[in-house]
């Protein structure tokens, strides 16, 4: 499966992505603000992760995409969306390789995944969390149309420190309003 944007091609991960994922996600700054990326990033972890998300994809419980440059195919990050069919909701998470930060890539990918959630999967709600010490991620979520719902206090323990997490979401009707506003007359 593939999703396109102006600059990006989001595609389902394959095992050959493992070395690149280990390299990019292995950067201390990527691990620092994520709940589930270990540092140092162990050998074999990327392969296991890819196998896991491929399984989710088969079972239709989650969609995890390589964020690649549309022209060169270069993998620059990863974005995932969970899919809970009973409640038609899912959690979105993402990371971008440090060299590519600050170019709007996470925002472009997040907007496209939200569109996929509502248009292709007919979901009702997409939500995402970010560590309170990660304003860039909060900004990505806001730019993708998500609203702050609240703070989960000391929800994650990272390197021995409890971290507050801000949760944001977008509902189907809010997405519909956004797209109506932006569509040409
Ligand atoms: C968070 C992350 C995904 C952002 O990726 P990105 O491609 O650089 O994001 P974008 O360029 O689309 O948007 C970043 C926004 O944050 C803003 N920003 C960056 N640093 C910031 C800071 N310290 N304080 C406030 N805003 C900040 C940018 O200015 C930009 O907003 P703008 O367009 O209004 O100027 C990336 O830094 C990353 O992968 N971090 C490590 C992993 C991670 O934290 N993942 C998210 C887990 S919830």
């Amino acid at each position: 499966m593939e999703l396109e944007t102006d600059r990006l091609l989001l595609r389902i991960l394959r095992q050959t992505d493992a070395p690149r994922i280990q390299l990019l996600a292995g950067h201390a700054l990527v691990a620092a603000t994520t709940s589930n990326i270990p540092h140092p990033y162990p050998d074999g972890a990327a392969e296991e992760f890819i196998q896991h998300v491929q399984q989710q994809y088969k079972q239709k419980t989650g969609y995890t995409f390589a964020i690649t440059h549309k022209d060169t195919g270069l993998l620059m990050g990863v974005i995932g969306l969970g899919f809970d069919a009973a409640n038609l909701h899912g959690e979105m998470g993402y990371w971008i390789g440090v060299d590519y930060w600050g170019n709007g890539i996470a925002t472009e990918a997040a907007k496209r995944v939200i569109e996929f959630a509502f248009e292709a999967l007919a979901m009702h709600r997409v939500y995402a969390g970010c560590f309170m010490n990660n304003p860039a991620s909060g900004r990505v979520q806001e730019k993708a149309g998500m609203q702050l719902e609240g703070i989960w206090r000391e929800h994650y323990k990272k390197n021995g420190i409890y971290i507050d997490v801000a949760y944001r979401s977008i509902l189907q009707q809010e997405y519909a309003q956004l797209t109506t506003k932006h569509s040409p007359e």
Side-chain angles (χ1 to χ4, degrees), residues 33 94-96 101-107 129 134-137 139 143:
T33 49
Y94 43 80
W95 59 263
I96 302 294
W101 287 8
N103 295 303
I105 291 173
T107 305
N134 189 11
S137 182
R139 188 76 195 109
K143 287 192 291 177

Side-chain angles (χ1 to χ4, degrees), residues 28-93:
L29 288 177
V30 172
T33 49
T34 51
S35 59
N36 56 358
I37 297 181
H39 190 78
Y41 200 98
D43 286 344
E47 285 82 355
E48 251 179 61
F49 168 71
I50 293 166
Q51 198 177 8
H52 173 67
V53 299
Q54 284 177 337
Q55 197 63 25
Q56 286 183 325
Y57 179 61
K58 271 191 214 138
Q59 294 168 344
K60 298 189 167 59
T61 55
Y63 300 83
T64 301
F65 301 95
I67 302 173
T68 69
H69 191 285
K70 199 153 104 176
D71 299 331
T72 64
L74 184 72
L75 188 152
M76 297 180 285
V78 169
I79 186 162
L81 174 74
F83 182 65
D84 175 337
N87 298 296
L88 288 177
H89 69 206
E91 181 166 7
M92 185 174 70

Side-chain angles (χ1 to χ4, degrees), residues 2-3 9 16 20-22 27 40 42 67 69 87 96 114 126 131 142-143 166 174 183:
E2 292 181 347
L3 305 176
L9 186 74
T16 47
R20 179 82 179 146
I21 288 180
Q22 182 170 4
H27 196 293
I67 302 173
H69 191 285
N87 298 296
I96 302 294
I114 287 171
V126 175
F131 288 6
E142 283 170 4
K143 287 192 291 177
E174 292 161 352
S183 62

